[in-house]
Amino acid sequence: MAEFDLNACAALVERGDPVRFRAAMAAPVPARAVLFPLYAFNIEVARAPWVTGEPMIAQMRLQWWRDALAEIAEGGVVRRHEVVTPLALAIRAEDVPTLDRLVAARERDILGERFADEAELWSYLEATAGGLIEVAARRLGGGTALAPSAGRALGLVNWLMAVPALRAAGRQPLPEGADIAALAREGLVAFDVVGRGLPGLPASARGAFLPLAGFRGVLRRSARDVAAVEEDRLEPGPFGARLRLALTAATGRLW
């Protein structure tokens, strides 16, 4: 992999997803060649529905990524691109269906339709946040069985923290009548499933789960203070979040 490709991915992640950037930097150095292309891919796909007000153009952008994934799966010539090129070296054909489901899940963001129910929300979080963790875990050496729970926990954290911005953009981010406290409690259950399983993973694989570090408090706050979600009071303090990330990276325990 050309060094400038990986550096370009790292720079994109640093700008667009600081939490995952810090997590990747806390992971073992060899893991970064997997994590930075995956996280850069996730940024590109996640923002595709938002960079244009034309649904057809947004759909074309997402289809471009699905076509790129198909090229990777076929094992032939892959289009030259600062993210696609390193991604093709970081993943294998068996990972493509999971990432394709991630892209397909993002299609619902184009129109921003309300989730029909909580089950649909959980499916979306598992396909997006969970799918990304699943592929990272597989490439780093284990833990794919924990990916659905990790996706539910981390996906819910990010989604709840985004609720005020989504509402400001005219979206309805939660199902009608959603019980935020109950959702947060389910997220805590998922978080603890990962916490119990993480110490048993190879050290090389734990890097896939480091983005969860420090976010148990966000779920606890959401469960006991629902108003904090709407009032944008969920973001953890940067010092505490970084300390918990360092502790998780050092001990293998999810703080």
Side-chain angles (χ1 to χ4, degrees):
M1 181 189 303
E3 191 66 25
F4 66 83
D5 282 328
L6 190 58
N7 288 341
C9 287
L12 177 58
V13 177
E14 185 176 18
R15 293 191 304 270
D17 194 340
V19 170
R20 286 192 173 95
F21 176 79
R22 291 193 294 270
M25 292 300 292
V29 172
R32 296 174 193 171
V34 171
L35 296 175
F36 280 135
L38 274 173
Y39 294 163
F41 160 81
N42 185 57
I43 290 170
E44 294 281 18
V45 170
R47 71 185 183 186
W50 296 90
V51 295
T52 176
E54 294 293 332
M56 184 174 294
I57 295 176
Q59 183 65 55
M60 290 171 63
R61 288 177 179 269
L62 290 179
Q63 186 60 49
W64 188 94
W65 284 100
R66 299 186 82 172
D67 292 344
L69 288 172
E71 291 172 2
I72 294 173
E74 290 166 2
V77 177
V78 176
R79 63 193 66 189
R80 182 72 180 89
H81 182 270
E82 67 176 10
V83 175
V84 176
T85 303
L87 183 67
L89 298 174
I91 68 172
R92 301 293 180 268
E94 65 179 319
D95 302 316
V96 167
T98 301
L99 295 181
D100 187 71
R101 286 193 295 273
L102 185 158
V103 180
R106 289 294 184 184
E107 291 178 354
R108 75 168 318 281
D109 295 341
I110 295 173
L111 298 178
E113 296 175 347
R114 187 195 292 268
F115 292 104
D117 50 31
E118 292 179 6
E120 190 172 72
L121 171 61
W122 287 123
S123 294
Y124 172 85
L125 298 179
E126 288 180 13
T128 51
L132 197 66
I133 293 168
E134 176 188 330
V135 173
R138 186 181 298 119
R139 289 302 113 222
L140 296 181
T144 55
L146 295 176
S149 293
R152 288 165 73 92
L154 182 61
L156 184 65
V157 163
N158 289 334
W159 198 252
L160 292 178
M161 289 196 298
V163 161
L166 290 168
R167 291 205 192 284
R171 303 297 180 93
Q172 297 296 326
L174 297 171
E176 185 74 35
D179 185 336
I180 292 175
L183 285 170
R185 288 192 293 271
E186 288 188 57
L188 280 167
V189 170
F191 194 99
D192 289 339
V193 167
V194 181
R196 289 192 297 272
L198 196 62
L201 296 183
S204 60
R206 294 174 191 160
F209 300 90
L210 289 179
L212 281 81
F215 283 121
R216 180 184 276 116
V218 170
L219 293 171
R220 285 177 173 167
R221 196 173 307 122
S222 302
R224 69 171 182 264
D225 181 11
V226 171
V229 176
E230 298 290 351
E231 295 170 7
D232 202 9
R233 291 189 283 107
L234 290 181
E235 192 77 34
F239 176 77
R242 287 179 176 137
L243 175 61
R244 290 178 176 85
L245 172 60
L247 287 170
T248 297
T251 67
R253 294 180 56 198
L254 195 55
W255 296 80

